[in-house]
Amino acid sequence: MSRFCLQVAGPLACFTRPEMKVERVSYEVMTPSAARAVFESILWKPQIRWRVQCIEVLHPIRWMNLRRNEVSAVVSTRNVQQAMAAGGGNLGLYIEDERQQRAGLLLRDVAYRIHADLELTERSTDPLAKYTEMFARRARKGRCVNQPYLGCREFAADFRLVEDGEAVIPPITETRPLGWMLHDLDFSNPIDPQPRFFDAKLEAGRVQVPPFSETRG
């Protein structure tokens, strides 16, 4: 097991609460699943997994309201299957017909320091050092498989690797409960993954992430 630390930042973020069905309302702090996705955007293989351990909040929590145009529909699976069988078809969505405005409560001017352990899965036949060196090399050069984002893909994140012994800015000093927060999805049943939650607390600007086995459905 190897531990890495990334610092991520961006002008906007939205870690959407799943209980909000229509409007996008963000959690107050980055979720563990969003943090995991940042690490996986730099390096992911079936032979490894990322375990997020701690999230540090570096900027004060600030909010903004934003109303955006969104598309209210998706291309149906049935239409795709029919087009594949026929060798062609119209799979387009017309924005003018499907447009709707939705309000969002977003975070602005965010920065986090996220700590995660790199572990091998049962599918790995190579030593951990191989993937450790691969990730460190890619993170130092700013390389990624896809652009990391802060909750929603339109909110791109800048990232950099925090090296051991590097001088860093301290997290905010705020301490307060954050309530039940999404930890990650349980893929025990790949057809129907289920969300798992934990009772999150911000303690001197840090959120300690419990093991997945201690979460609740």
Side-chain angles (χ1 to χ4, degrees):
M1 180 175 66
S2 296
R3 180 162 296 187
F4 287 98
C5 178
L6 292 175
Q7 185 165 312
V8 296
L12 292 173
C14 183
F15 309 107
T16 307
R17 291 179 174 271
E19 67 268 25
M20 307 303 292
K21 301 298 184 181
V22 178
E23 311 296 348
R24 293 187 185 275
V25 178
S26 178
Y27 284 109
E28 296 162 279
V29 175
M30 184 182 216
T31 61
S33 58
R36 171 185 55 79
V38 173
F39 283 94
E40 289 182 345
S41 70
I42 300 171
L43 179 66
W44 180 87
K45 291 181 178 296
Q47 295 84 357
I48 62 173
R49 69 168 61 93
W50 291 100
R51 303 286 194 191
V52 178
Q53 302 296 330
C54 178
I55 299 170
E56 297 180 279
V57 183
L58 307 182
H59 289 178
I61 299 172
R62 298 190 178 97
W63 300 93
M64 72 170 293
N65 288 294
L66 182 67
R67 186 172 293 275
R68 302 180 297 170
N69 290 327
E70 297 187 6
V71 176
S72 61
V74 296
V75 177
S76 71
T77 303
R78 182 180 179 181
N79 289 347
V80 173
Q81 293 172 340
Q82 290 177 343
M84 292 174 63
N90 183 12
L91 298 178
L93 287 176
Y94 296 95
I95 297 176
E96 291 78 8
D97 298 331
E98 305 293 347
R99 179 190 290 123
Q100 62 180 216
Q101 282 198 339
R102 290 183 177 175
L105 184 60
L106 315 179
L107 296 167
R108 62 183 179 90
D109 187 27
V110 300
Y112 306 101
R113 208 161 35 237
I114 51 181
H115 305 258
D117 292 336
L118 174 61
E119 303 174 349
L120 295 177
T121 68
E122 63 280 356
R123 302 177 64 176
S124 177
T125 58
D126 296 311
L128 181 62
K130 170 184 176 179
Y131 301 104
T132 298
E133 294 170 2
M134 190 182 302
F135 177 82
R137 181 172 61 252
R138 292 178 61 82
R140 289 190 185 106
K141 294 181 179 180
R143 294 179 178 175
C144 52
V145 179
N146 53 271
Q147 177 63 46
Y149 55 90
L150 298 166
C152 297
R153 290 189 181 274
E154 60 263 41
F155 303 141
D158 296 323
F159 73 91
R160 69 177 185 84
L161 180 66
V162 180
E163 305 277 8
D164 290 340
E166 177 183 338
V168 296
I169 62 174
I172 63 176
T173 59
E174 189 172 352
T175 296
R176 60 188 170 95
L178 298 174
W180 290 98
M181 176 182 284
L182 176 68
H183 187 292
D184 216 319
L185 293 177
D186 182 0
F187 287 95
S188 300
N189 181 3
I191 299 176
D192 185 25
Q194 295 296 311
R196 305 286 293 184
F197 299 87
F198 72 106
D199 190 8
K201 298 179 179 63
L202 185 65
E203 298 178 340
R206 295 179 174 87
V207 177
Q208 295 294 332
V209 181
F212 191 74
S213 58
E214 298 179 11
T215 60
R216 299 183 182 181

